[in-house]
Amino acid sequence: MSEQNSTAGRGRRRLSRRRAITLAGVGVAGVAGVAAGAGALTRDGDRAAAYDGAAGAVPFHGEHQAGITTPAQDRLHFVAFDVITKDRDRLVAMLQEWTAAAARMTGGKDAGVIGAVGGMPEAPPDDTGEALGLPPSQLTLTVGFGATLFRDAQGRDRFGIAGRRPAALADLPHFAGDALRPEISGGDLCVQACANDPQVAVHAIRNLARIGMGVVSVRWSQLGFGRTSSTSRDQATPRNLFGFKDGTANLKAEDAGLLREQLWAQPDDGTDWLTGGSYLVTRKIRMQIETWDRSSLVEQEQIVGRTKGSGAPLGRREEFDEPDFAAKGDDGQPVIAGDSHVRLAHPDQNNGARLLRRGYNYVDGSDGLGRLDAGLFFMAYQRDPRRQFVPIQTQLARNDAMNEYLRHVSSGLFACPPGVRDAADWWGRALFS
Amino acid sequence: MSEQNSTAGRGRRRLSRRRAITLAGVGVAGVAGVAAGAGALTRDGDRAAAYDGAAGAVPFHGEHQAGITTPAQDRLHFVAFDVITKDRDRLVAMLQEWTAAAARMTGGKDAGVIGAVGGMPEAPPDDTGEALGLPPSQLTLTVGFGATLFRDAQGRDRFGIAGRRPAALADLPHFAGDALRPEISGGDLCVQACANDPQVAVHAIRNLARIGMGVVSVRWSQLGFGRTSSTSRDQATPRNLFGFKDGTANLKAEDAGLLREQLWAQPDDGTDWLTGGSYLVTRKIRMQIETWDRSSLVEQEQIVGRTKGSGAPLGRREEFDEPDFAAKGDDGQPVIAGDSHVRLAHPDQNNGARLLRRGYNYVDGSDGLGRLDAGLFFMAYQRDPRRQFVPIQTQLARNDAMNEYLRHVSSGLFACPPGVRDAADWWGRALFS
């Protein structure tokens, strides 16, 4: 494939040169026209100033990475990469290039110059072009490092950072019912692109992949839509593909004290380079939606522990009312069943552990067996998965009545460094310096 | 699987009955609360009146089906179904139910009642719920019939309509370079759902699949975003994943004379039931975007025949300037190359044949070889594929310089009946009556 492309590329490049000369023959005006057009595009490429709200830009620099407590955007393109070089310097150089491109793209600019670089119309464009004319759309790009970046499957210290692997970046245990597919799990690096326009999110991931050519290779990726959890009190709670409001009890941007306690890695957590960062757990959870759709409303509400309409906990009136786990019906049975999702996932049942969930619905077409291949791409940020995701999921995997409609097919765990402070800073600086 | 689910379902139903009694024991107020909540949802479910513009509703009834000349919405969920019943009456009943649900959903209502049907809280909801609270989002649902609905692969007249198969619904020929996967090609029925919110499009397809349970089975489906062709002069030309404006020369809703000539089946076309309808060709075209991204701007522009920035034909200034295919450079070579996409696809090179293109970009994750699995889900409506898509694609498949970056992996051809006239009409009435 690569050889074939390379050959085709050579033939095409010869043609390009001939045509470049032809264009020169047509007159400098012609070539200048192309260059000016490209230049104009690049200058016009600064799309941030003209837009606000859902079309506007989210600041890239800061204490924490954007895309975590940022009010959840509508669309996701998530990608996990394998690092394919053994050269630490190349990896570092790519992370620096990525950071610069991310700052540009989240700011509403192109990833790089589209037209003739230094007057060389034969160079490939430094931006792929499909986001030209589109607003910034609140694009955020959030990077994470997987355990295999520190030490590979053979135990080798690949880039001289094995000693800096955080203890909390331990492999997740096997959970009851897990049906994980290794080829869409794990990864050395991840990038979460969220935006209100999928073309903007896809453009960003694609340009990072382009920049990383020869250094990283796409391991797996996932598109999502219709965020399933709000991360701010300004957002209404959206619905998952079971038709229920999801993430009512989510950690939210406004909960400053809880965020320190439950979201951000702290100086005394033992990993200096990660202070101000967080851990991301990803789980692709296939939903058996056809089976769910045949179950009754009462059954669905008992499994979830909330009403489908308002999202109120069973026995209560409003969505944000606290569930009353002690309430019993006349028959002595709990109003919110012992195996209901809301009970098992609730902080009260998990030593107070909470998550900042940021998942998205997905539909990957159909499964060849007449069913939609659909579900939830679960993403949750937290300070320490050993005290948060792992015990919660252990509980859910064993007892959740919803499990008969779910299958976990992919899993990932990434340490997400703190924010990029300024133009001199870059993703992973504290880790690699 | 189905047995397992069925068993689980039975266990759950028993639980539901017990709990329904429990709820009854809690008091009529509790049950009434659920029912009232559901009723309120259904009434609130009429979301059309509150919204306009991109969030508003597109009329369902009319001479032609919506979703063809309707200004292209931003998101697509396309699905092809196999009919799994041999019973014509069941198929007809499903088409009638589908039509009623489609009229409701495109009008901003739920597919059916969410709560207790006739006071039976144990019935599955008649809407799956994930679009509750979302605006109509210009949802359109467009149905088509494949050749295999008329006569199956064994030549059997499945539903007594073999004699009504239009001559123009002939299998497409094999084109040079085709790499079609049968499992994601063809289909007895198709539904195109377009909307400005993917959750609304997915909700519609999912509810049609739910209604069709036992009658149809999902054969394949495709999600898309960032429409690649404008279908109205009010829309700016969007960009495909090669970063170029796509569909500049598309048939548009405003071209009344051309639409009669090139889009809508006419009374003298020989198939009465299809008059006012159209033929839809679908092609899933994988793009080798990583290879494309390594090619130079000049090369990309020569392959396309347009500039990347403005979309102007090479040698001209503005996007909508007519290409000058005769223009030559000083070296005597055509300014727009003989193997450029714009030349080969242009009506002047195809006996005037044009298409109403309505394609969408897609990214299906990655391909396991380190590349994004991405490209164009091409959809084109036309009056007669034998005189339009087939000769154009024959030409392109043989000569288009772009082919080295493309691979056609799925193909479909469907006859789309005319519009549903009123509440008594239904999809396929003229065909089955």
Side-chain angles (χ1 to χ4, degrees):
Chain A
M1 189 67 225
S2 67
E3 190 178 7
Q4 181 196 329
N5 288 336
S6 158
T7 306
R10 275 198 297 276
R12 184 59 60 183
R13 273 197 297 277
R14 282 197 300 274
L15 179 64
S16 303
R17 290 201 186 91
R18 176 173 64 72
R19 286 188 183 280
I21 295 164
T22 305
L23 282 169
V26 167
V28 175
V31 177
V34 172
L41 278 173
T42 305
R43 282 191 299 275
D44 286 343
D46 185 349
R47 302 182 297 269
Y51 300 96
D52 58 9
V58 174
F60 179 71
H61 295 109
E63 182 183 359
H64 307 295
Q65 287 197 79
I68 301 176
T69 60
T70 304
Q73 304 95 320
D74 275 356
R75 314 285 178 257
L76 168 76
H77 191 181
F78 184 91
V79 65
F81 292 99
D82 288 328
V83 178
I84 56 174
T85 184
K86 294 179 177 176
D87 184 338
R88 175 183 165 125
D89 291 343
R90 287 192 68 190
L91 173 59
V92 165
M94 184 203 72
L95 288 168
Q96 291 168 341
E97 276 188 76
W98 269 11
T99 309
R104 289 181 57 84
M105 293 190 289
T106 56
K109 302 187 183 75
D110 313 312
V113 179
I114 297 221
V117 181
M120 294 290 288
E122 294 184 29
D126 282 334
D127 182 278
T128 54
E130 71 271 22
L132 285 173
L134 299 179
S137 308
Q138 297 190 321
L139 173 68
T140 55
L141 293 165
T142 313
V143 78
F145 304 130
T148 49
L149 185 70
F150 297 81
R151 207 182 274 285
D152 69 13
Q154 286 72 44
R156 287 182 292 245
D157 182 359
R158 304 168 69 187
F159 302 109
I161 53 173
R164 312 193 79 173
R165 172 175 162 172
L169 192 65
D171 289 341
L172 296 176
H174 175 87
F175 298 105
D178 270 2
L180 305 181
R181 294 169 47 201
E183 72 277 16
I184 57 168
S185 295
D188 297 332
L189 296 170
C190 75
V191 180
Q192 167 198 288
C194 294
N196 292 317
D197 184 327
Q199 185 126 338
V200 170
V202 163
H203 168 265
I205 292 295
R206 182 237 193 119
N207 277 275
L208 295 181
R210 183 184 54 74
I211 290 168
M213 222 174 270
V215 181
V216 292
S217 169
V218 174
R219 180 177 174 86
W220 55 275
S221 83
Q222 182 65 50
L223 269 78
F225 62 89
R227 59 190 158 65
T228 60
S229 308
S230 57
T231 53
S232 160
R233 300 210 186 283
D234 292 337
Q235 297 187 301
T237 310
R239 290 178 186 273
N240 62 24
L241 290 182
F242 284 156
F244 277 77
K245 293 191 178 184
D246 201 350
T248 297
N250 208 26
L251 274 181
K252 298 212 167 61
E254 293 82 358
D255 304 329
L258 276 174
L259 297 188
R260 261 195 309 279
E261 183 188 308
Q262 305 249 357
L263 179 64
W264 303 121
Q266 299 295 323
D268 55 357
D269 286 354
T271 307
D272 283 351
W273 66 265
L274 195 66
T275 299
S278 191
Y279 293 89
L280 168 63
V281 171
T282 66
R283 305 282 287 185
K284 183 171 180 173
I285 307 174
R286 168 87 187 267
M287 289 174 163
Q288 312 284 357
I289 61 173
E290 289 82 1
T291 318
W292 180 261
D293 288 350
R294 284 197 291 265
S295 64
S296 74
L297 179 64
V298 166
E299 177 185 344
Q300 292 181 5
E301 293 185 336
Q302 284 158 0
I303 291 170
V304 175
R306 293 183 180 276
T307 58
K308 194 161 192 173
S310 66
L314 291 184
R316 305 299 302 271
R317 294 186 62 87
E318 307 286 346
E319 179 190 349
F320 290 100
D321 288 347
E322 275 299 310
D324 181 354
F325 294 119
K328 291 201 166 68
D330 285 354
D331 64 352
Q333 298 290 323
V335 173
I336 298 176
D339 60 357
S340 68
H341 189 77
V342 70
R343 180 187 289 266
L344 293 169
H346 197 274
D348 290 356
Q349 312 292 318
N350 292 282
N351 292 318
R354 302 179 69 165
L355 301 167
L356 187 134
R357 293 180 48 190
R358 227 179 183 284
Y360 286 81
N361 299 325
Y362 76 85
V363 176
D364 286 352
S366 44
D367 68 357
L369 298 170
R371 298 175 302 211
L372 292 175
D373 185 358
L376 169 67
F377 187 69
F378 170 98
M379 300 194 292
Y381 288 90
Q382 58 213 281
R383 181 174 169 190
D384 188 337
R386 296 169 299 177
R387 290 199 299 268
Q388 294 167 271
F389 177 77
V390 171
I392 295 172
Q393 181 56 24
T394 300
Q395 170 89 291
L396 287 171
R398 285 188 190 139
N399 300 314
D400 188 356
M402 199 181 281
N403 287 338
E404 74 184 66
Y405 302 95
L406 302 179
R407 186 174 303 176
H408 289 238
V409 296
S410 149
S411 180
L413 173 61
F414 303 93
C416 302
V420 173
R421 299 306 177 98
D422 52 39
D425 195 7
W426 45 278
W427 278 336
R429 183 185 48 78
L431 171 60
F432 285 96
S433 296
Chain B
M1 190 66 227
S2 68
E3 189 178 9
Q4 181 195 328
N5 288 335
S6 160
T7 307
R10 275 198 297 278
R12 183 58 60 182
R13 273 197 297 277
R14 281 198 300 276
L15 179 63
S16 302
R17 289 201 188 91
R18 176 173 63 72
R19 287 189 181 279
I21 295 164
T22 305
L23 282 169
V26 167
V28 175
V31 177
V34 172
L41 279 173
T42 306
R43 283 191 298 276
D44 286 343
D46 185 348
R47 304 183 295 269
Y51 300 97
D52 57 10
V58 175
F60 178 70
H61 295 109
E63 182 184 357
H64 306 295
Q65 288 196 77
I68 301 176
T69 61
T70 304
Q73 303 94 321
D74 275 356
R75 313 285 178 257
L76 168 77
H77 191 181
F78 184 91
V79 65
F81 292 99
D82 289 327
V83 178
I84 56 174
T85 184
K86 294 179 177 176
D87 183 337
R88 175 184 164 125
D89 293 342
R90 286 192 69 190
L91 173 59
V92 165
M94 183 203 72
L95 288 168
Q96 292 169 340
E97 277 188 75
W98 270 12
T99 310
R104 288 181 59 84
M105 292 191 288
T106 56
K109 301 187 184 76
D110 312 314
V113 178
I114 298 222
V117 181
M120 294 289 290
E122 294 187 29
D126 282 333
D127 182 279
T128 53
E130 71 271 22
L132 284 173
L134 299 178
S137 309
Q138 296 190 321
L139 172 68
T140 55
L141 294 165
T142 313
V143 78
F145 304 130
T148 49
L149 186 70
F150 297 82
R151 208 182 273 286
D152 69 14
Q154 286 72 46
R156 286 181 293 244
D157 181 359
R158 304 167 70 187
F159 302 109
I161 54 172
R164 313 193 80 172
R165 173 174 161 172
L169 193 63
D171 290 341
L172 297 176
H174 174 87
F175 299 105
D178 270 1
L180 305 182
R181 293 169 48 202
E183 72 277 16
I184 57 168
S185 295
D188 297 331
L189 295 171
C190 76
V191 180
Q192 167 198 287
C194 295
N196 293 318
D197 184 327
Q199 185 125 338
V200 170
V202 164
H203 168 264
I205 292 295
R206 184 242 193 114
N207 277 275
L208 295 181
R210 183 183 54 74
I211 290 168
M213 224 174 267
V215 181
V216 293
S217 168
V218 173
R219 180 177 174 86
W220 55 275
S221 82
Q222 182 65 49
L223 271 78
F225 62 88
R227 61 189 155 65
T228 60
S229 307
S230 56
T231 53
S232 161
R233 301 209 186 284
D234 292 337
Q235 297 187 299
T237 309
R239 291 178 186 272
N240 62 24
L241 290 181
F242 284 156
F244 277 77
K245 292 192 179 184
D246 200 350
T248 298
N250 207 27
L251 273 181
K252 298 211 167 63
E254 294 83 357
D255 305 327
L258 277 173
L259 297 188
R260 262 195 308 280
E261 183 188 308
Q262 305 248 358
L263 179 63
W264 303 121
Q266 299 295 322
D268 55 357
D269 286 356
T271 307
D272 284 351
W273 67 265
L274 196 66
T275 299
S278 190
Y279 293 89
L280 169 63
V281 171
T282 66
R283 306 282 288 186
K284 182 170 179 173
I285 306 174
R286 168 86 188 267
M287 289 174 163
Q288 312 284 358
I289 61 174
E290 290 82 1
T291 319
W292 180 260
D293 288 349
R294 285 196 291 264
S295 64
S296 75
L297 179 64
V298 165
E299 177 186 344
Q300 292 180 7
E301 292 185 338
Q302 284 158 0
I303 291 170
V304 174
R306 293 182 180 276
T307 58
K308 194 161 192 172
S310 67
L314 292 184
R316 304 299 303 271
R317 294 187 62 88
E318 306 288 346
E319 178 191 350
F320 290 99
D321 289 347
E322 274 300 309
D324 182 353
F325 295 120
K328 292 200 164 69
D330 285 354
D331 64 352
Q333 298 290 324
V335 173
I336 298 177
D339 60 356
S340 69
H341 189 77
V342 70
R343 180 187 290 267
L344 294 169
H346 197 273
D348 289 356
Q349 312 292 317
N350 291 283
N351 293 315
R354 302 179 68 165
L355 302 167
L356 187 135
R357 294 179 48 189
R358 226 180 184 285
Y360 286 82
N361 299 325
Y362 75 85
V363 176
D364 286 352
S366 44
D367 67 358
L369 299 170
R371 299 175 303 211
L372 292 176
D373 184 357
L376 169 67
F377 187 68
F378 170 98
M379 299 194 291
Y381 288 90
Q382 58 211 282
R383 182 174 167 190
D384 188 338
R386 296 169 300 177
R387 290 199 299 269
Q388 294 167 274
F389 177 77
V390 171
I392 296 171
Q393 181 57 23
T394 300
Q395 170 87 291
L396 287 171
R398 285 188 190 137
N399 300 315
D400 188 356
M402 200 181 279
N403 287 337
E404 74 184 66
Y405 302 96
L406 302 179
R407 185 174 304 176
H408 289 239
V409 296
S410 149
S411 180
L413 173 62
F414 302 92
C416 303
V420 174
R421 299 306 176 97
D422 52 40
D425 195 6
W426 44 277
W427 278 335
R429 185 185 47 79
L431 171 60
F432 285 96
S433 297

